Every structure is written in C-alpha cells, then in structure tokens.
Amino acid sequence: MEKFRQTLKVRKERAILVAANLSRSNGSDDLAELTALAESAGAIVADRFQQRIRTVNPSTYIGKGKALQLAQRVTRFKADVIVFDNDLSPAQIRELEKITETKVLDRSELILDIFATRARTKQAKLQVELAQLEYTYPRLTRMWSHLDTVAGAGGATAAGAVGGIGTRGPGEQQLEIDRRLVNKRIRDLKQELAGIDDRKLREIKGRHGLFKICLVGYTNAGKSTLLNALTDAGAFVEDRLFATLDTRTRKWSPEKGVEVLLSDTVGFVKKLPHQLVASFKATLEEAVNADLLLHVIDVANEDVLGQMESVKAVLKEIGCGHKPTLPVLNKIDAIKDIGSLEMLETVYPEAVSVSARSGLGLDALARKVTGFYRGGELVLRVSSRQSDGRIQSFLRAHGQILDEQYGDSSVIIEVRMGRNQLPELQRLKPDALEIVKH
C-alpha cells in the first residue's frame, strides 16, 4: 500500500473509473457524475468499468475475479489511479491495490481532493484539512509520507512537519505515532475552527431584523451566476463542480422599499462525505438561519430529479428540511427537452423559471421573493409624533403610502405594507396602530 499511495491527488493522472452497484440498483449510467468529478479534479479518464454485483465482497468490494479484470484494464490503458464511485474500507483499498498494483481512491477521497484544490480562504482551507484528516485517520497504515499529502491545499502543515528523531517512545509503533499526531492536529484544527465558527455565527445572528435568503443547490447549478446577476457580487464563476467553497453575502433589493440579504453556499452532491458536512457547519449555518431558501435547480441536467433529491437530503441532514423553500428552475435557455421543464413546472407550480446567465425570468423571481418577504399585505393606519422621524422613514422605506394627515404635532399615515414587517414597526412604538384591511 505504501508503494502506491504516496498521494491522494489525481491531477494529470490517467484514471479508470469504477461503479459497482447491487443488482437491485437502477440507473443507466452510474458513472456520469464520477466522470465529471474526476475531470473536475484534473484526471484524464482512460476507462470506465461499470459492474452490477449481488453482494459487497468484504475483501475487494467487487470480488477477486472482477478485481483481476480491473488489473488487466490498468495494464491495457496504462492507468495511474483507480477511482471507485463507492466508499471503500481501508482493507478493501489495501487488497485492491495489492491485486491491481495501482493506487485506489474512493468517491469520498476524490471529493476531498477537489475541495482541497478549491479552498481559497483560511477558513475553507482549515475546513478541508480537518475533513481530510478525519477521513484518513481510520485508514492510517504504517507509513509516514501520507501525513504531508492529506493536510490540505496549502501544502505541508503541522501534521506532516513534526515527529522526527527523538519523538518515539521505547517500543512505540509507527502507526501509533501517526495516529497520535493526527489526533493532535485534528484537535488543533477543531479549536481554531471553533473560534472562526463562533465569529461567523455571531455575524449571522447579528443580522437581526433583516430578511435573510440563502441560495442552495447542486454543485454547478448556477448559484454563483444567479448571485452575480441579482447583486453584482462579482463571485467567481466557472463551468466545473465545486467552483466556489466560500460563502458570499450581499444586499439585494428585489423591489423598491424591500431590502434583503442574499447568501451563496457550497454546492451539494449526492453522497456528500460526512466529514465535509461537519467541517463546513459554519458555512452551511447561512442556510440554517435563513428566512427563505432559493433552491437553484439545473433543469438542463439529465439527472435533474436525482440532483434535487440529493439537495433535499443534505438540507434535511443540516436541519433545514422544513424551511420555506422556493424552487428556481435555472438554465432554461440551455434545456434540450422542453417536456422536462413543463413536468417540473407542473409538479412545482410555485417554482420560478429563469436563466441566470441571460437574465430571463429574474423580474418574476424578484416579485416572488417580495411576496415571501411581505408575507401577505396589510393596510395600516399609523399615528405618531411629527418629530419621530424613525417611524415615518420606516413606513416610506418598507411600504406604499396611501394617505397622510397632519395635526398640530402628530401625523396619521395610511400605508400598505407586508405582514412580516409589522413586528418591526411595533418595536418602534407608534402612538397608535390600526389594521384597516387584511
């Protein structure tokens, strides 16, 4: 195993992709997404090996016979790495590498590698490093070089820089040293991230009184493009999986008198590794604390329904399963089968169809979001002192003035505004407040 697993990276390596599914599984192309993931990581896909199995082999996952077939393909296609669409145990990886004489990665390792190359901010790098170490910890073997290759996009870290001569106690095994050092690094990372997470959570909770909207969706569904189209945020956009990992929050005015906060989040995929969900807790906290989720859906993707279910599964896992959600059917200008779009619009009549790239449908999205923001409209009669500019400014900013009557020192304003803004108006304590019309 030491001979082949000097690194988890697959950039510029020739890869054979393997999907082994139980016979009861369905789906015509189980390798479509793994192909996109591998190419996104920089690998050259040399071959695709798709198998149906009755049971999972505890030794090799696919059985020794199929493993030998895989070894032949490695020779024929001159492959440098084998990537499984399944999560493998350390023993299965070790046995497969022994048979094929080639490095073997599973789906989670591949996703972790992609995240490592995409991380830009300190927080993202620490989150990825923690996820990698937590995934690698139970897979440690008696080897040393892996510690500086799984530590993240930033290169060697404390995990790989310590533990030279003089650190080993009498009779202590190399594996025990590895585990002790990785455990220490994991504790240090969690402590450092806890401080960043606390600041992030205070920042999120400090947005009290502002309507918060969070963009969620499958990776490459167009969330960053939509954020740019609505707010001129200048977020990085590229046609690849996990192009951005860092959350961006911008102010957005969907209509005059309406101001909300719009946040982007890391994209989801099916079978997102647990370690990433846990490590990106603070990033995903944007969705947890949002008043409304915009589920951005790539309607041009052939597996659109599967992607939607994957997003719903992750939202449920982080506690957002019952949060108000507005489906946004994106990329309608790229759709090939109009029947698929019509089906989605029938199943989700509340959805808004848009093209974030061309701007088509964004006005309808703004109106829909404004409806959520207002929560239904009320006509109010508000009495206050003329000198109380806060109340008058709030009414003009958040509602439509219907009538104004001035007395010697007071003013009575009739205004149409959203039901959701009523509590904030009440906190300003006007002299009198009457609901004229529901």
Side-chain angles (χ1 to χ4, degrees):
M1 190 168 181
E2 294 90 338
K3 180 179 178 181
F4 310 113
R5 295 177 65 79
Q6 298 301 313
T7 175
L8 298 183
K9 299 171 183 175
V10 299
R11 286 181 284 286
K12 298 182 181 179
E13 291 184 308
R14 291 177 61 81
I16 293 179
L17 309 185
V18 181
N21 290 313
L22 298 173
S23 55
R24 63 177 178 270
S25 301
N26 50 39
S28 56
D29 188 359
D30 297 313
L31 282 170
E33 183 172 86
L34 189 67
T35 300
L37 287 168
E39 291 174 346
S40 196
I44 301 168
V45 178
D47 187 31
R48 292 151 52 97
F49 189 65
Q50 195 164 319
Q51 289 291 327
R52 292 296 171 90
I53 56 177
R54 292 185 177 181
T55 58
V56 172
N57 186 291
S59 177
T60 61
Y61 200 95
I62 57 176
K64 189 170 182 179
K66 290 185 174 64
L68 289 171
Q69 292 179 30
L70 193 54
Q72 294 172 356
R73 286 173 177 255
V74 168
T75 303
R76 187 193 317 164
F77 294 100
K78 299 179 181 180
D80 306 298
V81 60
I82 299 169
V83 184
F84 271 72
D85 196 35
N86 316 86
D87 280 337
L88 306 176
S89 70
Q92 288 166 342
I93 290 176
R94 188 161 51 246
E95 188 63 23
L96 284 165
E97 288 185 337
K98 182 179 177 182
I99 294 172
T100 63
E101 297 187 350
T102 308
K103 178 174 61 177
V104 175
L105 303 182
D106 64 11
R107 179 187 177 85
S108 291
E109 285 179 307
L110 179 63
I111 293 174
L112 288 169
D113 177 56
I114 296 172
F115 268 62
T117 65
R118 303 289 192 266
R120 293 292 177 266
T121 65
K122 180 180 180 181
Q123 181 184 9
K125 289 178 180 179
L126 292 176
Q127 288 168 327
V128 172
E129 182 180 349
L130 175 60
Q132 286 182 312
L133 287 176
E134 287 187 326
Y135 183 83
T136 305
Y137 176 74
R139 290 162 169 76
L140 290 179
T141 56
R142 290 176 178 83
M143 54 188 293
W144 188 260
S145 61
H146 66 278
L147 286 176
D148 58 358
T149 62
V150 301
T157 66
V162 297
I165 297 173
T167 63
R168 305 172 205 174
E172 188 173 18
Q173 297 292 320
Q174 183 70 60
L175 178 60
E176 294 169 350
I177 296 173
D178 289 1
R179 284 177 172 162
R180 176 164 51 83
L181 288 171
V182 171
N183 258 328
K184 181 181 183 303
R185 181 59 180 163
I186 287 174
R187 287 196 302 271
D188 292 344
L189 283 171
K190 284 184 175 179
Q191 185 175 357
E192 190 169 358
L193 277 171
I196 296 176
D197 290 354
D198 287 344
R199 291 194 296 273
K200 182 74 174 177
L201 292 177
R202 285 197 298 271
E203 177 185 331
I204 294 171
K205 292 176 181 178
R207 298 166 185 165
H208 181 72
L210 292 169
F211 193 80
K212 298 176 286 294
I213 301 174
C214 191
L215 297 170
V216 298
Y218 212 79
T219 182
N220 210 30
K223 298 184 302 300
S224 296
T225 303
L226 183 59
L227 179 71
N228 289 342
L230 297 176
T231 68
D232 296 324
F236 177 74
V237 174
E238 188 173 343
D239 186 17
R240 63 177 183 175
L241 305 185
F242 304 118
T244 54
L245 299 185
D246 302 306
T247 300
R248 289 174 180 264
T249 300
R250 295 291 185 271
K251 287 185 177 179
W252 175 39
S253 289
E255 285 192 9
K256 184 178 180 181
V258 176
E259 190 172 81
V260 302
L261 290 179
L262 186 62
S263 298
D264 192 8
T265 58
V266 62
F268 302 155
V269 313
K270 68 178 181 181
K271 296 185 286 188
L272 190 66
H274 271 317
Q275 294 84 359
L276 283 175
V277 174
S279 296
F280 279 76
K281 180 181 177 183
T283 303
L284 297 173
E285 202 73 28
E286 294 281 359
V288 175
N289 286 276
D291 299 296
L292 174 66
L293 301 180
L294 296 186
H295 181 180
V296 183
I297 300 162
D298 178 4
V299 295
N301 191 285
E302 293 180 359
D303 188 31
V304 58
L305 293 177
Q307 291 188 354
M308 291 174 68
E309 289 305 313
S310 297
V311 172
K312 290 177 183 177
V314 176
L315 290 175
K316 185 177 180 181
E317 184 176 350
I318 64 175
C320 294
H322 301 292
K323 192 168 287 290
T325 303
L326 175 62
V328 180
L329 307 179
N330 190 30
K331 302 187 183 181
I332 57 174
D333 54 339
I335 195 166
K336 296 177 181 178
D337 180 10
I338 192 66
S340 174
L341 176 61
E342 291 174 346
M343 180 271 293
L344 289 169
E345 289 176 334
T346 301
V347 176
Y348 301 97
E350 75 280 13
V352 182
S353 299
V354 306
S355 168
R357 184 175 59 180
S358 69
L360 186 66
L362 296 187
D363 289 342
L365 176 61
R367 289 193 297 271
K368 200 86 170 186
V369 168
T370 300
F372 274 95
Y373 170 83
R374 296 190 186 281
E377 289 190 331
L378 299 171
V379 175
L380 306 173
R381 186 174 291 117
V382 183
S383 175
S384 67
R385 298 182 301 280
Q386 289 187 30
S387 59
D388 195 339
R390 294 179 309 155
I391 293 177
Q392 295 172 50
S393 296
F394 179 86
L395 295 177
R396 297 183 194 283
H398 295 86
Q400 178 186 359
I401 305 299
L402 303 177
D403 186 43
E404 295 180 77
Q405 297 179 16
Y406 289 88
D408 293 336
S409 60
S410 64
V411 57
I412 299 175
I413 299 177
E414 196 166 289
V415 60
R416 179 184 290 113
M417 62 185 300
R419 187 183 301 273
N420 288 338
Q421 284 65 61
L422 183 56
E424 193 171 350
L425 174 59
Q426 290 171 326
R427 281 194 291 272
L428 295 176
K429 298 180 179 179
D431 294 337
L433 192 157
E434 177 188 357
I435 298 177
V436 178
K437 183 179 178 182
H438 288 275

